[in-house]
Structure formats: C-alpha cells, structure tokens
Amino acid sequence: MRNERGGSSVPALAVLVLLGVVAAIGIFGNKASNAKTVDLATLTASTTATTIATAPLDTSPYSGTGGIVVHPRHEAALFASPDADDAFGKIAPTQFGPTWLPVVDQTDGWVRVLLPSKPNRSTGWLQDTDLDRASTSYLIRVHTSSRTLELFENNKSLGTWKAGVGARKTPTPPGRTFLLGSIIDHKRSASPIVLPLGAHSPTLDTFGGGPGTVAIHGWPNPHVFGAAISAGCVRVPKAALADLQKVPLGTLVLIDSN
C-alpha cells in the first residue's frame, strides 16, 4: 500500500493491536464431518492486491454483526457457499500481521466472512476447522456526507470527529468493511500511523503505484478534516487516531452516505 501522494510502499512494521478483544480466544469445534479437501496451490489468495471476480458479494452491506471475528491458523480455502463443490480462493493467516476477519453469517461447520480482496464487499465461506475465534465490542462508523467518523464500544459512543473523506471523483467506498491492519512507519511524514481497511477505491486501481487500499490515517493539515478531499482514504485528527489504535483487528467499519 502506498500513500495518497505517491510515496513509497508502507512496510508492515507495527505490532497489531488486539486490545479490547473480549472473551478468551477459542477454537471452533472439531473438524466437521463435511470437511472438504482442496489443492490450495491452485487458488488465488484474497489480499488487498488481488481481485477475485467469483467471490460472492455481501448481501447486507449496511448491517451490523455480532462482533465475532476469526483468524485462520493456516492458509484456508474460500467457498461461495457451504455446499459448493469447488473453492474460489484462499486466505492466508497473515497480511498486515495476523489476519482477523469479521463473521457476517454462520451455519453448522461454516462461517461467512468479509474479505480484503476486490471487488469491494467480497465475502467467502470458511470451514470452521483451524480457526481462532474472538469477539470485538467496537464499531467504527464513517459518514461521507457529514464527513464524520464515530467510534463505539458496546454501543456507547467514545467520540465523534470531523474527517476528510474521498473527493467526488475518488470517493470513499460505501458499505461494510473491517479493520485489516495497524501500521507504524515513521518515514511517512503525512501520517506515520495507518490503519488499512478491507476496502478499495472504486475509481483508482493504485495509490502511487501500490494497491488502491482504503485506510484510516492522520494528516498534518487540519483543514482537510470535514472536507471531501482524499483519494478515498479517511483522514482523521490525532485524537481520533489514538483511540482507533486501540480497536482490535477485524472490527467492523460501516461506511454510509449520511
């Protein structure tokens, strides 16, 4: 991922913050009787740099979740549905550190998760073997019309801040996504702290040559807060960024036009 001004790509240097995860991390049940065996080497990995056109899209893009997030312990196959014969992709246990994905649906032996690959709102079903499970009580809301960001914990507001959002020609993509990573790179003068999301610019394939990954980050000029000015990322004040760094990975981010 590169910054919006075309700087060099950002290395994943930060220790990812899992503060705020409630309940002990557990493991989903024993291997399901309908477990499917696939050749992972033949599958495309779901990452911020890939597009998997066959991934099913989120059918409830503005809904909340129960806060459950999962982490694949090993590379795992993704299916369009629990009864699909073939996998359409795979997900790795690390991207910007550990990969934590929000669960948007589940059935016996399976969970449906949001994915970091294109197109936006991509989802996939994972077999519930070899998954770590946790719960996050946080929710991030971004409103592109009022140009604000809200942070909640247990449905209680922790703060509302003016935010810089995407310009008309490079909008911040609507729908639900999630906090994919937490990066600290002191070479980035605009914002050493970057929180990549599992979403992408709908109009730009790249930011300065890297994947067009949307992120939440700071900005040195306060005049951008409350303006539609970015290439799709969400720019927030230092106070907001300090609180957002405490949010666990996999936390849901709801972006709407309010």
Side-chain angles (χ1 to χ4, degrees):
M1 182 177 65
R2 294 174 182 254
N3 64 42
E4 295 173 301
R5 299 189 298 177
S8 57
S9 59
V10 181
L13 299 178
V15 175
L16 298 176
V17 179
L18 289 176
L19 187 65
V21 173
V22 296
I25 292 177
I27 304 173
F28 276 116
N30 294 328
K31 189 172 184 178
S33 58
N34 62 343
K36 302 179 182 183
T37 301
V38 298
D39 182 2
L40 292 172
T42 65
L43 299 175
T44 300
S46 176
T47 73
T48 59
T50 60
T51 298
I52 306 180
T54 52
L57 298 184
D58 189 3
T59 55
S60 301
Y62 298 99
S63 299
T65 68
I68 302 300
V69 294
V70 294
H71 164 66
R73 290 184 158 191
H74 311 286
E75 200 170 50
L78 295 162
F79 295 84
S81 67
D83 58 358
D85 292 329
D86 299 316
F88 67 80
K90 60 185 176 182
I91 189 77
T94 58
Q95 294 203 29
F96 298 101
T99 302
W100 285 92
L101 306 168
V103 173
V104 298
D105 196 4
Q106 54 189 316
T107 189
D108 185 31
W110 294 82
V111 293
R112 188 179 190 180
V113 297
L114 298 181
L115 298 175
S117 48
K118 293 180 181 180
N120 284 328
R121 305 180 187 175
S122 290
T123 70
W125 286 90
L126 286 168
Q127 296 179 95
D128 67 8
T129 52
D130 294 325
L131 296 178
D132 289 334
R133 181 183 186 181
S135 178
T136 169
S137 57
Y138 289 87
L139 171 66
I140 300 169
R141 285 185 173 272
V142 177
H143 309 296
T144 56
S145 290
S146 61
R147 300 164 189 172
T148 55
L149 180 145
E150 296 181 282
L151 177 61
F152 297 88
E153 183 182 15
N154 290 319
N155 297 317
K156 180 182 179 181
S157 176
L158 298 182
T160 301
W161 300 269
K162 282 293 185 180
V165 298
R168 183 176 59 84
K169 293 184 178 180
T170 54
T172 300
R176 62 181 174 183
T177 182
F178 60 101
L179 186 62
L180 179 62
S182 180
I183 296 170
I184 299 176
D185 180 7
H186 293 289
K187 295 179 181 178
R188 287 178 54 95
S189 58
S191 177
I193 299 169
V194 179
L195 307 177
L197 305 181
H200 310 266
S201 168
T203 58
L204 299 175
D205 291 330
T206 66
F207 290 154
T213 307
V214 170
I216 299 173
H217 57 75
W219 201 257
N221 186 345
H223 295 299
V224 305
F225 306 134
I229 198 170
S230 77
C233 287
V234 180
R235 303 173 181 176
V236 297
K238 288 182 179 180
L241 204 55
D243 284 347
L244 290 167
Q245 278 189 283
K246 302 174 185 177
V247 174
L249 301 183
T251 291
L252 194 68
V253 179
L254 290 175
I255 303 172
D256 60 41
S257 59
N258 295 339

